[in-house]
C-alpha cells in the first residue's frame, strides 16, 4: 500500500511497485498454470491407466474401423440405397421420439417456468420448490430413466420418449424462466385488472411476449434430443441407434449396413442443424424482408 | 397491414380487419391443432394403447419395493437339514455359521419369528407356519413323495399355492417356499442393509457413538478400511467410478477447449485471410459436430477399448467441433481497436493475440467451457454406459442383474447429486471468474410493437 501522507512517490518507487505487482501476478498465473497442467497430465495418465487399451496403442488404430467400414461400403456401394431405404423407418422413429419428447417437455417446461418466475407464479411461496424440481429433472441423465423404464415398460420408443421429455422439461424450464424474467408484467397487470384467471393471464399476457424465444430454445433442444434419442436407441429404446447396435454386432461382412446408418444419422443431424439454425435466426432477429 | 389509409371507407376497413381477425383466429386454432394431430399420430405409432399389456407391473413392484427395502433369506437344506441365513440370499450377505439375527433361533428345531404372531418352525421332519386367523400350515418334504402339505380345513386361499412338489405361502409378514430340496423363508425390512459394514466385519451392528469412540482410540483407519472395502456396496469401486466420470468430463471439455482455440482462429474472417483455409476449417468443425457423439464413441471404443480414456476422447472430439464454432464466432466479434492499440506499442504477433485478442474472448471462452463441463458430466454418464467406464457402467450392470435395485437407487442418487454439484460448482466458478458478466447475456425486454407476437397474435 502506498503511503499517502508521505511525499509524492518518486518514479523509482512507482517502477518498483509496478514490477513487484507484475511479478506477483506472473507468479500466481504461473502457479495456476502449473497446477492446471499437472491436473491435466495426471488426469490423462489415470484415464490411460484405467482404460482397457492404451492411448499410444489405440492412437494408431483410430482410423482402422472407419476405414474398414468405408472400404466395405464402397465395395457394396450398389446396396447402399437399398439399406438407406430399409433403415429409413428407424430414422423416422428416432425423429418422432425427439419431436414428441421436445413437445411434451416444452409443455411441462413452460408450466414449470411460469410456476417458478417471480410475478407470474400463482403460489409465490412454492417458487423454490418448482425451481428444485426443474433442477432435479435437468440433472437426471436420460439414460438412467430410460433404462429403468425399459425394465418396467419393455423396450421400444415410449421409455426413451418419457426419459428425454423429463430432461427436456427441466432444461427448458430453466431457460424459459430466464426468458420470463425479461418479459414485461404490464399486460399481466392489465389482465388482472379485468379479472382474468391465472391461465388467461399467462396465455394472453405472457406467452405472446415470450413465444419466439420459447420456440427458438425448443428448436435448439430438438437438435439435442435427436442425438439423445439415437444414443438411447443404442441401449435398447428402438430407432436408428438400435439398428446401429445390431448392424455393428453382426461384425465384418455387414459393415455396409453400419455405413448406411452412419450416413443417415449424419445427414439428418446436419440437415436439422441447418434448418433450425435458419429458423432460430428468423425468430430472434425477425424475418428478413 | 396495420397501417390505415384515411381514404378508405369504413366498409373497406371493416372487411380488412375482419380478414385479419379471421387469419389470426385460424392461426390460433391451427397451431395447437397441428400439435395435437402430431401427438395423436405419435400416440398411434408408438402403440401407446398396447403399452399397458406390455408393461410388467410385477417388475415395477419389485423395482419400487426392492429399492427401499431388503429381504433376509432363511434357508434349510432339506437333505442335510442345515439352516443358513443370508441377506438378499447372497453369499456376500451370509451370516457366519452359528450366527443369526435375533428373530431366528437356530437349533434342532429352528424357530423363525416373523412378528405379528406369524411363526415358522423348521422341525427335523416337518415345516410349520402358524398364521394368525387362519391356522397352521404344515409341509413335510421328502425325496420320494415330494412335498406333502397339510392345510387347515376349507378352501385354499389364493395366497397359498400348493402342488405335488411345491408349497408357497405369501403373507404380509413374509414368504415361505418349500420344495423337495429346500425350505426358504423371506422376511422383508426397510432400508439399505449392510450399507456401512458387512456381517463379517467386527464393526457390524455398532452404533454411531461407539464407532466414534473407537475411532478416537486409534481405530479410525481400520473402521474406514472396513467401510471402504464393503463387499456388498463396493464403496471403493463406486468412488472410483464417480471419479472416472468426472475425469472424462474434465479431460474431454478442457482438452476440446485447448484444441479448438487455435483452430478457431483459422476459421475466422478477421484472422484468416485465406478463404479456402477458412472454408475448410469451418467444414471440419461442422463435420465433427455432425458426426454424432454416439458415432464417435462407437468408433473410438473400437480403437481404445472400454474405459475412461475412450469416453474422454469421445467428448473431446465432439466438443472440439462445437467449441470451434462458438469460439470462431466470438473471435469474429472482437474489437479491432484493442489489437491496434497493442500493436502500436510494437508488440509482436504472439503478444498481439495474447494481450489484444484473448482478454476479449475470455468471458465467452470460460463461460462456455464451464457450461460444457457441467453438461458433459451428464454425457460422461451416458457414454460410460455405452463404452463401459465410470458410474454409467456400474448403473447398467446393476440394472442388467434385475435384482439389485437398491444399488440402482443408490447410483441414481449419486449421479443426480454429482450433476447438481457440478452445476452449482461451474455456476459459482463462472460468477467468480467473470465478474459482472454473469455468464449469460441478458436479453432486452421485447417491446410488443417491435418483434410482433408469434404464437398467439
Amino acid at each position: 500500500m502506498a503511503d499517502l501522507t508521505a511525499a509524492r512517490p518518486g518514479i523509482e518507487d512507482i517502477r518498483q511497485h509496478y514490477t513487484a505487482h507484475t511479478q506477483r501476478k506472473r507468479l500466481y498465473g504461473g502457479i495456476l498454470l502449473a497446477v492446471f497442467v499437472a491436473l491435466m497430465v495426471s488426469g490423462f495418465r489415470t484415464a490411460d491407466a484405467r482404460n482397457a487399451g492404451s492411448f499410444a496403442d489405440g492412437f494408431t488404430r483410430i482410423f482402422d474401423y472407419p476405414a474398414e467400414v468405408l472400404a466395405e461400403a464402397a465395395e457394396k456401394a450398389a446396396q447402399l440405397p437399398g439399406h438407406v431405404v430399409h433403415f429409413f423407418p428407424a430414422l423416422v422413429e428416432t425423429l418422432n421420439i425427439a419431436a414428441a419428447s421436445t413437445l411434451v417437455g416444452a409443455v411441462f417446461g413452460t408450466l414449470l417456468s411460469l410456476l417458478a418466475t417471480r410475478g407470474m407464479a400463482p403460489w409465490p411461496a412454492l417458487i423454490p420448490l418448482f425451481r428444485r424440481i426443474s433442477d432435479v429433472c435437468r440433472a437426471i441423465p436420460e439414460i438412467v430413466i430410460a433404462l429403468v423404464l425399459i425394465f418396467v415398460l419393455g423396450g421400444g420408443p415410449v421409455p426413451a420418449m418419457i426419459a428425454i421429455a423429463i430432461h427436456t422439461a427441466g432444461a427448458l424450464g430453466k431457460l424459459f424462466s430466464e426468458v420470463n424474467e425479461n418479459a414485461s408484467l404490464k399486460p399481466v397487470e392489465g389482465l388482472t385488472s379485468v379479472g382474468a384467471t391465472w391461465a388467461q393471464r399467462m396465455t394472453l399476457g405472457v406467452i405472446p411476449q415470450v413465444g419466439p424465444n420459447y420456440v427458438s430454445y425448443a428448436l435448439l433442444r430438438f437438435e439435442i434430443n435427436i442425438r439423445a434419442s439415437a444414443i438411447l436407441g443404442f441401449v435398447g429404446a428402438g430407432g436408428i441407434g438400435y439398428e446401429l447396435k445390431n448392424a455393428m454386432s453382426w461384425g465384418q461382412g455387414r459393415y455396409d449396413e453400419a455405413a448406411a446408418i452412419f450416413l443417415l444419422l449424419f445427414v439428418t443431424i446436419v440437415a436439422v442443424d441447418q434448418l433450425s439454425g435458419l429458423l432460430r435466426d428468423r425468430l430472434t432477429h425477425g424475418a428478413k424482408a | 397491414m396495420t397501417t390505415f389509409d384515411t381514404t378508405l371507407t369504413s366498409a373497406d376497413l371493416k372487411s380488412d380487419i375482419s380478414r385479419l381477425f379471421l387469419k389470426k383466429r385460424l392461426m390460433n386454432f391451427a397451431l395447437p391443432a397441428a400439435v395435437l394431430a402430431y401427438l395423436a399420430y405419435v400416440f398411434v405409432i408408438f402403440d401407446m394403447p398396447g403399452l399397458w399389456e406390455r408393461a410388467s407391473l410385477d417388475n415395477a413392484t419389485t423395482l419400487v419395493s426392492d429399492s427401499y427395502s431388503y429381504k433376509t433369506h432363511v434357508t434349510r437344506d432339506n437333505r442335510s437339514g442345515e439352516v443358513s441365513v443370508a441377506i438378499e440370499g447372497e453369499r456376500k450377505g451370509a451370516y457366519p455359521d452359528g450366527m443369526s439375527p435375533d428373530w431366528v433361533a437356530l437349533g434342532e428345531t429352528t424357530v423363525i419369528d416373523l412378528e405379528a404372531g406369524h411363526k415358522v418352525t423348521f422341525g427335523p421332519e416337518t415345516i410349520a407356519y402358524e398364521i394368525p386367523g387362519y391356522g397352521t400350515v404344515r409341509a413335510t418334504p421328502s425325496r420320494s413323495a415330494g412335498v406333502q402339505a397339510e392345510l387347515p380345513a376349507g378352501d385354499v386361499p389364493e395366497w397359498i399355492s400348493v402342488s405335488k412338489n411345491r408349497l408357497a405361502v405369501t403373507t404380509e409378514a413374509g414368504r415361505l417356499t418349500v420344495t423337495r430340496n429346500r425350505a426358504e423363508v423371506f422376511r422383508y425390512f426397510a432400508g439399505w442393509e449392510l450399507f456401512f459394514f458387512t456381517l463379517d466385519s467386527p464393526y457390524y451392528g455398532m452404533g454411531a457413538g461407539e464407532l466414534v469412540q473407537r475411532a478416537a482410540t486409534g481405530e479410525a483407519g481400520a473402521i474406514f478400511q472396513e467401510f471402504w472395502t464393503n463387499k456388498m456396496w463396493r464403496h471403493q469401486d463406486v468412488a472410483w467410478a464417480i471419479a472416472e466420470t468426472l475425469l472424462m468430463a474434465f479431460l474431454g471439455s478442457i482438452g476440446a477447449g485447448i484444441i479448438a482455440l487455435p483452430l478457431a482462429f483459422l476459421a475466422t474472417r478477421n484472422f484468416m485471410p485465406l478463404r479456402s483455409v477458412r472454408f475448410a476449417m469451418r467444414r471440419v468443425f461442422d463435420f465433427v459436430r455432425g458426426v454424432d457423439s454416439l458415432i464417435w464413441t462407437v468408433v473410438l471404443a473400437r480403437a481404445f477399448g472400454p474405459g475412461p480414456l475412450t469416453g474422454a476422447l469421445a467428448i473431446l472430439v465432439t466438443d472440439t467441433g462445437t467449441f470451434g464454432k462458438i469460439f470462431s464466432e466470438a473471435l469474429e466479434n472482437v474489437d479491432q481497436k484493442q489489437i491496434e492499440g497493442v500493436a502500436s506499442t510494437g508488440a509482436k504477433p504472439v503478444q498481439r493475440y495474447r494481450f489484444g485478442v484473448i482478454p476479449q474472448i475470455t468471458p465467452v471462452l470460460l463461460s462456455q467451457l464451464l457450461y460444457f463441463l457441467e453438461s458433459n458430466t451428464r454425457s460422461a454418464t451416458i457414454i460410460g454406459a455405452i463404452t463401459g467406464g465410470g458410474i454409467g457402467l456400474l448403473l447398467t450392470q446393476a440394472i442388467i442383474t434385475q435384482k439389485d435395485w437398491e444399488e440402482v437407487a443408490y447410483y441414481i442418487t449419486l449421479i443426480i447429486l454429482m450433476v447438481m454439484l457440478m452445476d452449482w460448482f461451474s455456476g459459482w466458478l463462472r460468477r467468480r471468474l467473470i465478474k459482472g458478466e454473469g455468464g449469460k447475456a441478458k436479453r432486452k425486454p421485447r417491446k410488443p410493437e417491435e418483434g410482433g407476437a408469434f404464437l398467439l397474435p
Side-chain angles (χ1 to χ4, degrees), chain A residues 36 43 48 50-53 96 99 138 142 144 147 151-152 167 182 203 209 217 227 231 248 255 262 273, chain B residues 38 41 56 59 240 244 254 289 292 298 302 304 306-310 378 382 402 405 412 423 443 445 456:
Chain A
F36 183 73
D48 201 14
R50 293 183 73 85
N51 213 59
N96 274 333
R138 205 156 43 91
E142 294 102 345
V144 171
L147 284 174
F151 175 66
V152 176
H167 180 71
N182 292 326
T203 45
Q209 294 185 62
Y217 278 133
R227 294 162 187 257
I231 287 186
M248 280 186 43
Y255 280 160
F262 283 149
D273 225 49
Chain B
Y38 178 72
Y41 157 75
S56 145
N59 281 359
W240 262 111
E244 273 184 6
I254 308 287
R289 231 156 32 91
D292 188 36
V298 166
R302 289 274 165 148
F304 294 101
L309 182 73
T310 312
R378 224 173 309 112
I382 298 174
Q402 301 210 341
W405 292 107
I412 291 178
D423 189 13
R443 270 174 306 277
L456 297 159

Side-chain angles (χ1 to χ4, degrees), chain B residues 90-261:
Chain B
E90 284 180 56
R91 181 165 269 236
K92 293 175 285 190
Y95 281 82
D97 279 342
M99 187 174 146
S100 70
D102 49 13
W103 48 274
V104 178
L106 296 175
E108 176 119 26
T109 319
T110 301
V111 180
I112 302 157
D113 181 10
L114 297 180
E115 284 180 359
H118 290 259
K119 191 179 270 185
V120 179
T121 323
F122 288 170
E125 297 297 330
T126 304
I127 287 143
Y129 186 179
E130 282 172 38
I131 304 165
Y134 179 69
T136 306
V137 178
R138 278 176 222 281
T140 315
S142 67
R143 305 218 53 191
S144 48
V147 177
Q148 288 170 310
E150 293 168 47
L151 299 177
D155 289 335
V156 178
E158 61 180 27
W159 41 270
I160 295 180
S161 85
V162 203
S163 68
K164 190 168 166 286
N165 288 318
R166 193 168 175 274
L167 166 78
V169 185
T170 315
T171 63
E172 279 163 29
R175 210 170 123 184
L176 169 72
T177 325
V178 184
T179 59
R180 207 190 286 215
N181 292 328
R182 62 187 191 161
E184 195 164 32
V185 172
F186 294 170
R187 187 175 165 190
Y188 294 86
F189 295 92
W192 291 348
E193 183 58 356
L194 312 180
F195 184 78
F196 294 104
F197 303 107
T198 39
L199 290 165
D200 52 359
S201 157
Y203 302 106
Y204 173 74
M206 266 183 211
E210 196 177 348
L211 278 177
V212 170
Q213 214 173 359
R214 282 181 177 244
T217 54
E219 284 182 48
I223 292 177
F224 181 75
Q225 190 63 27
E226 284 292 325
F227 168 75
W228 197 234
T229 53
N230 182 329
K231 282 194 290 295
M232 204 75 170
W233 289 86
R234 301 188 298 159
H235 296 291
Q236 192 177 12
D237 295 348
V238 173
W240 262 111
I242 295 265
E244 273 184 6
T245 305
L246 290 175
L247 188 64
M248 281 190 232
F250 174 75
L251 279 182
S253 325
I254 308 287
I258 291 173
I259 293 173
L261 185 61

Side-chain angles (χ1 to χ4, degrees), chain A residues 149-236:
Chain A
L149 284 179
I150 286 173
F151 175 66
V152 176
L153 299 177
V158 182
M161 195 199 82
I162 298 173
I164 301 177
I166 289 177
H167 180 71
T168 304
L172 287 182
K174 190 189 178 207
L175 289 171
F176 285 178
S177 73
E178 275 164 23
V179 176
N180 291 348
E181 307 226 313
N182 292 326
S184 160
L185 284 174
K186 281 178 191 153
V188 181
E189 284 161 21
L191 283 163
T192 319
S193 71
V194 296
T197 61
W198 181 75
Q200 286 169 333
R201 289 203 298 274
M202 293 302 120
T203 45
L204 301 172
V206 178
I207 301 293
Q209 294 185 62
V210 294
N213 277 325
Y214 273 26
V215 175
S216 145
Y217 278 133
L219 277 173
L220 194 65
R221 205 64 228 177
F222 177 56
E223 281 174 42
I224 300 170
N225 284 350
I226 292 178
R227 294 162 187 257
S229 86
I231 287 186
L232 289 188
F234 208 79
V235 296

